Amino acid sequence: MVGRIRILEWEAVRIIESRCTTLHHAKQVHAHIYRNNLHQCSYVITNLLRFLTNLPHLPVQSYPHLLFSQVHSPNPFLYSALIRAYARNGPLFQSIRLYSSMLNNNVSPVSFTFSALFSSLKNPTLGTQLHLHAMLFGFVSDLYVGNTIIHMYVKCGLLSSARKVFDEMPHRDAVSWTELIVAYAKSGDMDSARELFDGLPGKDKFAWTSMVTGYAQNAMPKKALEFFLRLQEAGVETDEIILVGVISACAQLGVSGYASWIRGIAESSRFGSVNNVLVGSALIDMYSKCGNVEEAYSVFKGMKERNVFSYSSMIAGFAVHGQARAAIKLFYEMLEAGIKPNHVTFIGVFTACSHAGMVEQGQYLFGVMEKYYGVAPTADHYACMADLLGRAGQLEKALQLVQTMPMEPNGGVWGALLGASHIHRNPDVAEIASHYLFELEPDNLGNYLLLSNTYALAGRWDDVSRVRKLMREKQLRKNPGCSWVEAKNGIVHEFFAGDVKHPEINEIKKALDDLLQRLKAIGYQPKLNSVPYDIDDEGKRLLLMSHSEKLALAYGLLNTDAGSTIKIMKNLRICEDCHIVMCAASKDTGRKIVVRDNMRFHHFLNGTCSCSNFW
């Protein structure tokens, strides 16, 4: 008799696994189970329950829970199947309630019970209590349970607890290591991620990908490139995720040599820009950030498929290069192609309008973005509009917009207003913006510097001293101005403000002095108010001569082919005096000079800049 029942159970499970594809089939099998008196068999019902809870659009609390409730003495596997279903599909509290019911009915949990509970848990207090239960029942040494506990602590933001679990696991697999490596990378702790990676035996593609993308996402592009080279040397296959990560690193460096190199690797793989929209969009962004918006547009036009991301990347590229009309034109081409814009698209459009002073165009699109395109304005869009109005000198309108926003202004919004106040030398509005910024971003040095420099432009030196004292009290230190330029051999040379360490510094300073003398002969006068310090005029002239972008320019003139474009990347905003020098130098030397600062690109040619001095 027992043997016949076992055969019936196996037959019922075989039918579930091989024939069930719809809810209708499941109900037929359920009827078969009843006819054969198997409706109290936890083994059979567990398999049917697992099938039902994988069906789309079938609420767990309906048929699956009813099926479970009809079993008088469910075993731990049946409990665990329903717990997993609630943990995955919700409501989560039902899985906790089931677990409590299980214990109250003296049914001991199994490892699957805990892995199901931990997989979706985001409550650190409850997670810690369940972790203790797993220890009491002896399941923390189970590999899968340990991995889900790590996963739970990572989701709760308790990395130290996750690491403690990892360190105490008797056995680990690639999932154990990679989960923590990814978590450290997302938190910005690349030293800990690197430590784990170095200790990982048998590094797989996921671990390598985590390191490359982690370094790229944490603004450590040289490290990302280093790991990508190591990945290639290890013979690890390149995929689109790795390519996008390393392309992002090249974009951060902004160096054309790296751009050409990674483009070649992408095109020689099966993830070239023509057929892969993800890689194509990343390449568009990279070329735009490397100062070559023409090549970015060439990639864009060569793509067989374009989506909202490729269009948005190209629009943003045109925007930061001062080609506002091209950005707006492409936006309308996107609409004609039937591609719906998203919030990123509009940020690119508003940036284009802001950098070109197209106030009416920007205001119109801001007014219709939700009505016509279904994109509700966010704080980031309001920041763009504050920047648009502020740059155009409409500071009162910008302030009114910020004060009547339907949501609380964030740091980006007040930062845009502070930046506009600096441009138009309005310390009163700057004080209002900085008041909120000092609360929202108390350790953001840039806000203190902008306010201090705005006071300096207005000659309010007592206020400058007050802000600088506050900076000292908070122990905030300014990042030194840094610019880098690529020589014709592809080597990147860095220069800091007041640099004296470069091996060719004497030749560089002489070339810069010769250039400035020629520029003075045609009317250049140093913009002394670009120096935010209360020192004499001669001291200001010396400081202006030592700005990093001027040193980079002189080096570029000495070490690049005559007639070639000089591309300079800078970590801070270009000052007004350097902007004037770049304009004049482009006319004096007949060279095109491209400068990327932390706001946008400036293309200098024949004595003019692409920004039309609207920056």
Side-chain angles (χ1 to χ4, degrees):
M1 183 66 180
V2 173
R4 181 174 179 276
I5 291 174
R6 287 282 180 268
I7 292 172
L8 288 173
E9 290 174 355
W10 292 336
E11 177 66 19
V13 171
R14 187 186 65 80
I15 293 171
I16 294 168
E17 292 176 346
S18 62
R19 298 184 190 177
C20 270
T21 57
T22 66
L23 178 60
H24 178 68
H25 290 159
K27 289 181 176 179
Q28 288 180 323
V29 172
H30 193 185
H32 171 79
I33 290 169
Y34 258 99
R35 283 196 300 271
N36 286 278
N37 203 30
L38 299 173
H39 56 285
Q40 295 299 317
C41 176
S42 287
Y43 170 62
V44 175
I45 299 301
T46 297
N47 281 273
L48 182 58
L49 183 65
R50 285 174 180 162
F51 170 77
L52 287 170
T53 54
N54 282 320
L55 287 174
H57 314 303
L58 181 64
V60 179
Q61 59 266 43
S62 59
Y63 187 14
H65 196 115
L66 178 65
L67 181 69
F68 170 87
S69 64
Q70 291 175 345
V71 179
H72 300 320
S73 301
N75 71 8
F77 295 98
L78 181 53
Y79 267 109
S80 299
L82 193 58
I83 287 171
R84 180 179 296 278
Y86 275 120
R88 188 177 58 199
N89 303 316
L92 183 61
F93 74 87
Q94 285 284 20
S95 63
I96 306 300
R97 182 177 291 176
L98 269 172
Y99 175 69
S100 298
S101 171
M102 183 180 185
L103 298 182
N104 289 335
N105 289 325
N106 295 317
V107 178
S108 296
V110 291
S111 63
F112 299 113
T113 314
F114 289 108
S115 60
L117 286 166
F118 287 123
S119 63
S120 299
L121 205 58
K122 295 180 182 178
N123 183 313
T125 303
L126 188 56
T128 304
Q129 291 174 344
L130 284 171
H131 185 184
L132 179 60
H133 277 232
M135 292 175 63
L136 292 172
F137 282 103
F139 289 115
V140 289
S141 60
D142 181 276
L143 174 63
Y144 196 63
V145 173
N147 285 345
T148 53
I149 294 174
I150 290 174
H151 180 69
M152 180 270 297
Y153 279 129
V154 165
K155 282 196 299 185
C156 293
L158 300 175
L159 267 179
S160 59
S161 297
R163 181 60 184 267
K164 189 172 187 296
V165 173
F166 174 87
D167 290 339
E168 293 176 353
M169 288 172 69
H171 304 287
R172 309 180 188 114
D173 62 5
V175 174
S176 323
W177 295 83
T178 308
E179 178 87 41
L180 264 184
I181 290 171
V182 171
Y184 278 128
K186 285 183 177 178
S187 72
D189 186 359
M190 290 307 299
D191 289 339
S192 294
R194 172 70 182 268
E195 176 204 344
L196 277 177
F197 179 84
D198 288 343
L200 170 60
K203 300 169 177 60
D204 62 11
K205 184 168 72 173
F206 299 104
W208 282 104
T209 302
S210 301
M211 294 302 294
V212 172
T213 56
Y215 278 123
Q217 289 166 359
N218 285 289
M220 302 170 74
K222 289 184 179 178
K223 283 288 186 182
L225 289 167
E226 173 196 322
F227 265 74
F228 180 72
L229 288 170
R230 286 179 57 190
L231 173 154
Q232 288 192 305
E233 290 168 1
V236 178
E237 183 185 7
T238 299
D239 63 16
E240 61 182 359
I241 304 301
I242 296 173
L243 280 172
V244 168
V246 76
I247 289 169
S248 170
C250 292
Q252 292 173 48
L253 286 171
V255 180
S256 57
Y258 283 124
S260 301
W261 167 70
I262 195 59
R263 168 84 179 275
I265 291 175
E267 300 300 356
S268 64
S269 72
R270 55 192 176 93
F271 303 103
S273 61
V274 173
N275 299 307
N276 190 290
V277 70
L278 189 64
V279 172
S281 301
L283 286 172
I284 291 167
D285 179 65
M286 178 191 72
Y287 276 118
S288 295
K289 290 178 178 174
C290 288
N292 196 339
V293 71
E294 296 81 12
E295 193 60 35
Y297 192 48
S298 175
V299 171
F300 176 81
K301 289 191 296 183
M303 294 170 67
K304 289 182 179 178
E305 177 192 352
R306 302 180 192 119
N307 62 11
V308 65
F309 303 108
S310 44
Y311 270 99
S312 298
S313 293
M314 195 65 247
I315 288 169
F318 280 136
V320 296
H321 282 273
Q323 299 187 25
R325 299 196 183 281
I328 301 300
K329 181 174 179 287
L330 188 61
F331 172 72
Y332 285 109
E333 287 178 9
M334 173 184 176
L335 299 179
E336 289 174 7
I339 296 176
K340 185 179 178 182
N342 62 16
H343 72 285
V344 176
T345 316
F346 278 103
I347 288 174
V349 169
F350 296 146
T351 300
C353 293
S354 180
H355 285 175
M358 299 168 65
V359 177
E360 290 184 6
Q361 178 77 67
Q363 286 182 310
Y364 167 75
L365 289 171
F366 183 75
V368 301
M369 62 185 288
E370 184 169 17
K371 180 180 178 182
Y372 292 165
Y373 308 113
V375 180
T378 66
D380 291 335
H381 296 116
Y382 276 94
C384 290
M385 293 307 296
D387 186 59
L388 171 66
L389 293 168
R391 282 177 186 271
Q394 300 180 26
L395 282 172
E396 292 303 324
K397 281 189 178 180
L399 181 58
Q400 184 180 11
L401 176 77
V402 171
Q403 291 173 336
T404 56
M405 283 172 56
M407 72 281 293
E408 198 69 27
N410 62 15
V413 175
W414 290 115
L417 197 61
L418 177 59
S421 303
H422 174 73
I423 292 169
H424 295 286
R425 306 181 184 187
N426 189 320
D428 296 328
V429 176
E431 283 178 342
I432 296 171
S434 60
H435 168 76
Y436 290 98
L437 282 168
F438 292 170
E439 290 183 359
L440 291 168
E441 303 170 351
D443 299 322
N444 186 334
L445 175 65
N447 297 327
Y448 296 86
L449 288 172
L450 260 181
L451 178 61
S452 173
N453 294 347
T454 306
Y455 283 139
L457 288 171
R460 291 169 54 171
W461 298 110
D462 288 343
D463 287 320
V464 171
S465 299
R466 176 175 55 82
V467 176
R468 290 188 177 274
K469 180 183 178 185
L470 185 60
M471 290 163 56
R472 288 193 298 272
E473 289 172 352
K474 288 181 166 288
Q475 297 184 330
L476 301 175
R477 294 185 178 179
K478 179 183 177 182
N479 289 329
C482 176
S483 298
W484 55 102
V485 64
E486 187 176 6
K488 58 186 176 183
N489 59 5
I491 297 175
V492 177
H493 290 255
E494 282 186 333
F495 296 91
F496 290 88
D499 207 331
V500 294
K501 295 182 179 179
H502 195 279
E504 299 176 53
I505 192 63
N506 291 329
E507 295 91 332
I508 292 167
K509 285 188 173 181
K510 183 180 185 307
L512 177 58
D513 187 58
D514 290 344
L515 173 66
L516 293 177
Q517 292 304 319
R518 294 199 306 273
L519 298 186
K520 285 176 183 177
I522 58 174
Y524 162 67
Q525 290 295 325
K527 199 77 173 176
L528 299 181
N529 62 8
S530 293
V531 179
Y533 301 104
D534 189 15
I535 58 177
D536 61 40
D537 288 354
E538 184 57 28
K540 290 182 178 181
R541 288 190 183 92
L542 291 173
L543 282 176
L544 289 175
M545 276 193 66
S546 67
H547 279 194
S548 64
E549 56 266 57
K550 289 191 181 82
L551 298 173
L553 171 63
Y555 180 84
L557 290 170
L558 286 171
N559 291 280
T560 57
D561 293 329
S564 65
T565 299
I566 297 174
K567 292 180 181 177
I568 299 169
M569 307 294 164
K570 181 174 170 62
N571 66 335
L572 304 174
R573 190 169 179 267
I574 187 172
C575 79
E576 190 174 358
D577 182 71
C578 287
H579 194 273
I580 292 169
V581 168
M582 297 293 171
C583 269
S586 70
K587 186 172 184 179
D588 175 77
T589 64
R591 306 277 290 270
K592 182 177 181 181
I593 303 166
V594 178
V595 178
R596 185 187 86 178
D597 67 7
N598 65 350
M599 295 294 293
R600 62 176 296 166
F601 278 87
H602 298 265
H603 294 252
F604 302 93
L605 185 64
N606 295 326
T608 62
C609 179
S610 58
C611 72
S612 301
N613 292 325
F614 192 84
W615 59 286

